[in-house]
Amino acid sequence: MEDIYLRGTAVRLPSRLRVDDAVASGECPPGLVAATGTVSVAYSPDESAAEMAAHAARAALARAGSAPADVDLVLHADTYHQGQDLWPVASYIQREALGNNCPAMEIRQMSNGGLAALDLAAAYLTAGHGHGDALLTSADRFCTPGIDRWQTDPGTPYADGAAALVLSRRGGFARLVSLALHADPSLEPLHRGDEPFTRAPFSNRMPVDFEEAKRAFVGRVGMSYAITRAHAGQQTVLKQALADAGMELGDARWVVLPHFGRRRLQSIYYKPFGIEPASTTWEFSRTVGHLGAGDQFASLDHLLVSSKAAPGDRCVLVSVGAGYSWGCAVVEITERPDWAEVREESPDGS
């Protein structure tokens, strides 16, 4: 891949909600604890997704040393309500964090949105449209009444938070070695089900129930079909990204997986691909929960600020989003950035 670098990362995780406390209050089913292994989720008592994204964007830009004039593109990936209706959230983030005049756009590719934005930004910067940096953000606040963070998608507790990444042609702490995306729309009904199309949000049911949609689809095509197609899609992008990077999965120092629950990670990634949990960010992700499109950026930031990632390490970022689409990127750490010497962000985001 042409010289594209990662120059800065940041996260905004305002607070933490312990699973034990959610069980005690009756919000979280007790069985979820054993099934997911999650101990807490990031939680926003009052900040909207857009506000968290702007916070993370400012921090990532400061770490990258990127001025407004350096940024040629803003892409914001999200999956759920951003705080206002019929509203260009990417423009808000641009105004709050930059105030410049470059294109600012929203990416809606569900949980694959982060790597989709990474791919689009890399292409933009190498196609002659820009010669500086691209600001990538993602944020979601998964709250009632539309989302039940514990039961909307059983097996994956949903979390509130934002992550940001500055991609650059001017150098950085890591090099983007390869990136692959793949889609299989035959699996699109997995998150839609048999419900009719509606005129307004949440007209079919509230909160959203992905499990009901999956049951309807699997009832028509069979579980084997769904599992086989889903595995094939993830395998396709892994093989392509690894081949383009000239490596095997076992050569990676870190494999950054979606922030799913433990049982889901075991069936989708650990067992099929021979991934050892110790080479992943599981110990971090089980304290954060699923950040929608931001899992990969947030876990990469964690590896840096916790001093786990070191120069020479290759990190394989893996993602999947409803629709269905998959992503895989290989990132090589080339140096330890000065800003990574600070302590890891505390639960309140300080």
Side-chain angles (χ1 to χ4, degrees):
M1 179 171 286
E2 195 168 342
D3 289 341
I4 295 289
Y5 299 89
L6 283 63
R7 194 172 177 89
T9 63
V11 298
R12 174 62 174 167
L13 308 174
S15 185
R16 292 288 206 282
L17 175 61
R18 290 190 56 83
V19 174
D20 287 349
D21 293 337
V23 171
S25 70
E27 295 177 48
C28 176
L32 182 139
V33 180
T36 69
T38 302
V39 297
S40 61
V41 295
Y43 165 66
S44 174
D46 47 30
E47 283 182 64
S48 68
E51 291 169 307
M52 290 188 285
H55 186 289
R58 288 189 292 266
L61 290 165
R63 287 175 169 181
S66 298
D70 296 322
V71 179
D72 297 311
L73 179 69
V74 177
L75 295 178
H76 177 66
D78 58 65
T79 69
Y80 187 56
H81 183 63
Q82 297 294 290
Q84 297 287 345
D85 301 317
L86 290 176
W87 172 63
V89 60
S91 296
Y92 168 83
I93 296 164
Q94 180 181 28
R95 186 180 72 82
E96 289 290 310
L98 287 165
N100 68 0
N101 304 110
C102 72
M105 291 171 279
E106 185 177 2
I107 305 296
R108 296 298 296 268
Q109 198 54 44
M110 300 302 284
S111 300
N112 195 33
L115 291 195
L118 189 66
D119 184 68
L120 292 171
Y124 188 91
L125 293 178
T126 57
H129 297 299
H131 300 285
D133 304 342
L135 171 64
L136 313 181
T137 60
S138 88
D140 272 301
R141 185 185 184 202
F142 294 111
C143 56
T144 56
I147 297 290
D148 179 334
R149 72 173 71 253
W150 310 110
Q151 299 189 80
T152 280
D153 189 8
T156 298
Y158 280 27
D160 309 336
L165 184 151
V166 176
L167 202 65
S168 181
R169 300 197 66 183
R170 302 185 297 129
F173 66 85
R175 182 171 66 93
L176 181 61
V177 181
S178 67
L179 198 157
L181 296 176
H182 179 73
D184 183 354
S186 73
L187 296 176
E188 175 273 326
L190 260 175
H191 283 73
R192 176 170 54 86
D194 292 334
E195 300 290 352
F197 288 94
T198 65
R199 299 179 62 175
F202 309 110
S203 296
N204 282 325
R205 64 172 64 88
M206 188 168 62
V208 174
D209 186 352
F210 285 152
E211 193 67 12
E212 176 62 29
K214 291 176 184 177
R215 279 194 293 268
F217 179 70
V218 168
R220 292 197 308 275
V221 303
M223 182 65 75
S224 178
Y225 175 88
I227 291 175
T228 300
R229 299 286 294 199
H231 175 72
Q234 194 72 85
Q235 187 176 49
T236 296
V237 291
L238 272 165
K239 283 186 174 180
Q240 183 178 334
L242 292 170
D244 291 346
M247 61 182 288
E248 301 290 338
L249 187 57
D251 299 329
R253 175 63 185 87
W254 298 101
V255 181
V256 175
L257 299 173
H259 293 183
F260 295 161
R262 180 168 50 202
R263 189 172 296 173
R264 187 168 286 179
L265 288 171
Q266 178 71 27
S267 63
I268 299 175
Y269 295 107
Y270 296 164
K271 188 174 180 180
F273 295 105
I275 298 171
E276 292 295 330
S279 69
T280 73
T281 54
W282 163 247
E283 292 302 326
F284 167 70
S285 70
R286 72 194 298 240
T287 70
V288 175
H290 182 43
L291 295 168
D295 290 350
Q296 294 72 31
F297 295 172
S299 275
L300 181 61
D301 180 83
H302 163 74
L303 289 175
L304 292 163
V305 300
S306 63
S307 301
K308 289 181 167 60
D313 287 356
R314 282 198 166 186
C315 307
V316 177
L317 314 182
V318 181
S319 66
V320 56
Y324 249 71
S325 68
W326 298 264
C328 182
V330 176
V331 170
E332 183 174 357
I333 308 297
T334 55
E335 62 182 63
R336 181 165 178 75
D338 293 341
W339 50 261
E341 300 297 335
V342 301
R343 66 182 177 84
E344 187 172 1
E345 180 170 306
S346 64
D348 65 359
S350 62

